Amino acid sequence: MATVILARHGRTAANATGVLAGRTPGVGLDDTGRQQAQRSAERLSGLTLAGVVSSPLQRCRETSRLLAPDHKPLTEQRLSECDYGEWTGRPLKELSKEKLWRTVQAQPSAARFPGGESLQEMSSRAVAAVRERDAAYDEAAGGDAVWLAVSHGDVIKAILADALGMHLDAFQRIMVDPASLSVVRYTPERAFVVTMNSSSGPLGHLAPPRGRRKRRSSDAAVGGGAGPEAASATS
């Protein structure tokens, strides 16, 4: 069973000024965004990543290089930002007055951006990309691989909603901050959401214990279990 660390890109000037950047080319990290990504990189110390996959947009590619400087990220088009169409480049305070805004908030599965894609289409492609990449890393590593996927806020929210078994209409309940890390472990029976929207604390415990020869159980621990430290001690 592989484990994916979902990283949102660090802050951009568009984020800071309340503009919906979407797929606008050339939107890179600002100074705060670079500092955020560098702090997140420190949290990955002690982990050997099986691979790094990134949205093709500049802000994600910059973030992936800061998070994993020893890896050349693979570009995954399906992890790109939602195509917001005619909403791209407009201020959020202006967009909040549009009739479609309420649909995006209350029933995102029914929202299609004018000249762009629907949130359902975004969700379907992103979930498929992560699950397919995860299965490939799992097969290549023989289990227990840890890999990194760098993407965008709405995209990661949709992936987490799927892992939680939530309808897309509930995905606005999930928060994904700039440079935050979320962790999902997929198994044949279910996905385990290990961490969401985390901005502090090391993630070295995600590394497979030394000497492990069998895959982790797909069963959920009744009562909550004893945590990763106990699992490492008994391996």
Side-chain angles (χ1 to χ4, degrees), residues 190-209:
R190 63 179 60 81
F192 290 98
V193 178
V194 181
T195 299
M196 289 201 305
N197 195 35
S198 171
S199 297
S200 63
L203 295 181
H205 64 276
L206 297 176

Side-chain angles (χ1 to χ4, degrees), residues 89-158:
R90 295 174 60 188
L92 293 174
K93 64 180 180 180
E94 178 183 299
L95 292 172
S96 67
K97 301 174 183 178
E98 297 276 353
K99 183 178 179 180
L100 179 60
W101 181 271
R102 294 313 312 161
T103 305
V104 171
Q105 298 300 316
Q107 193 183 3
S109 66
R112 176 178 291 278
F113 297 98
E117 69 179 335
S118 70
L119 284 170
Q120 185 64 66
E121 289 168 338
M122 177 208 72
S123 174
S124 295
R125 63 168 165 82
V127 169
V130 167
R131 286 181 174 269
E132 290 171 17
R133 293 276 184 177
D134 191 83
Y137 281 121
D138 181 62
E139 182 177 0
D144 286 334
V146 179
W147 63 287
L148 179 69
V150 184
S151 190
H152 308 267
D154 279 350
V155 176
I156 294 174
K157 284 163 60 177

Side-chain angles (χ1 to χ4, degrees), residues 7-11 33 36-37 40 43 63 67 177-181 198-199:
R8 184 185 171 192
H9 63 78
R11 197 185 79 168
Q36 290 171 334
S40 291
R43 303 179 59 203
T63 300
L67 289 176
D177 296 326
S180 65
L181 303 179
S198 171
S199 297

Side-chain angles (χ1 to χ4, degrees), residues 214 228-235:
K214 62 180 181 179
E229 291 81 5
S232 299
T234 58
S235 297

